[in-house]
Amino acid sequence: MPQPSAPFTVLDHPLIQHKLSHLRARTTSKKQFRELVDEITTLMAYEVTRDLALEPVEVRTPLESMTAHRIRGKKLVVVPILRAGLGMVDGITRLVPSARVGHIGLYRDEETLEPVSYYFKIPGSPGGREFIVVDPMLATGGSAKAAVSRLKEAGARSIRFMCLVAAPEGVGALSEAHPDVPIFAAALDRQLSDQGFILPGLGDAGDRLFGTR
């Protein structure tokens, strides 16, 4: 198994871990699952955006003028990998309402088992933007690698990957393919099953979000 070469961070804040325990439970309803994904994403977003570059701006308070700081450069872009990644978008845009949202649609070819892109839409001028790719699960890493590759082909230079639960196999595969992309997770689980599910995991995030089980 490839060893991680990109920065990999498990965000183990007590609130994140508490909510993640409920997210994993098979008895959690679809409504609760969606709410928990949203809440955990918001908590994680503080750390994922910690090193965004700032620039000084002049601000007039009710009392006097001062130099404050705002995020530098073009608007942040959140890119969910369809479909499960959609559940994480609001958790970030709630904190950064000005963020743009791109979309990447991927499916797995049943013969080659390789991810195939069927939809790709991001804002213009990608070279000057910060991208956060979101997907609840980082399992084999196939979809994550393909999504990051597609963004780089379009001109993106600064990309982070954010998931809720990761498997060692997926972390190793993504970091080996894209060692310049930091990976953030709420948990690093034990392994993948023979069917490619994360163990102990939380089941199929897309099905649990959208009730398609």
Side-chain angles (χ1 to χ4, degrees):
M1 179 176 58
Q3 295 300 310
S5 54
F8 174 63
T9 305
V10 174
L11 303 178
D12 57 358
H13 189 284
L15 288 176
I16 293 175
Q17 297 307 308
H18 172 80
K19 292 176 183 295
L20 183 61
S21 75
H22 289 284
L23 191 73
R24 292 185 188 273
R26 64 184 301 176
T27 54
T28 297
S29 69
K30 291 185 291 293
K31 177 179 182 294
Q32 293 170 324
F33 193 90
R34 286 192 292 267
E35 291 171 348
L36 286 164
V37 167
D38 182 70
E39 292 167 3
I40 294 169
T41 301
T42 297
L43 292 169
M44 293 180 67
Y46 282 99
E47 190 64 30
V48 174
T49 58
R50 174 179 290 275
D51 64 348
L52 290 180
L54 297 173
E55 63 182 359
V57 294
E58 292 302 312
V59 173
R60 177 75 186 181
T61 78
L63 301 177
E64 63 182 35
S65 295
M66 64 164 291
T67 300
H69 292 85
R70 293 177 182 166
I71 296 174
R72 187 180 67 196
K74 295 183 180 297
K75 303 298 184 185
L76 181 75
V77 184
V78 183
V79 185
I81 298 178
L82 303 178
R83 62 185 168 140
L86 291 171
M88 299 176 67
V89 172
D90 288 348
I92 299 176
T93 57
R94 182 176 297 108
L95 289 180
V96 192
S98 62
R100 308 290 177 88
V101 180
H103 295 87
I104 297 179
L106 299 164
Y107 71 89
R108 188 171 70 167
D109 185 287
E110 294 302 325
E111 292 186 1
T112 66
L113 303 182
E114 292 297 318
V116 179
S117 174
Y118 67 87
Y119 188 78
F120 182 82
K121 187 74 171 180
I122 62 172
S125 305
R129 299 183 185 276
E130 298 278 348
F131 287 84
I132 302 177
V133 179
V134 295
D135 198 354
M137 315 293 287
L138 178 58
T140 65
S143 294
K145 289 193 300 180
V148 172
S149 293
R150 190 69 180 84
L151 283 172
K152 287 182 175 180
E153 290 167 5
R157 295 197 298 267
S158 181
I159 305 170
R160 305 150 200 248
F161 184 86
M162 178 179 175
C163 64
L164 304 184
V165 177
E169 295 89 338
V171 174
L174 178 57
S175 64
E176 181 182 58
H178 299 287
D180 57 326
V181 174
I183 304 168
F184 298 86
L188 178 65
D189 279 12
R190 187 177 71 249
Q191 66 186 76
L192 291 179
S193 70
D194 293 339
Q195 293 75 38
F197 287 100
I198 299 176
L199 298 175
L202 47 79
D204 187 302
D207 285 345
R208 297 190 71 184
L209 277 165
F210 301 115
T212 51
R213 197 166 33 173

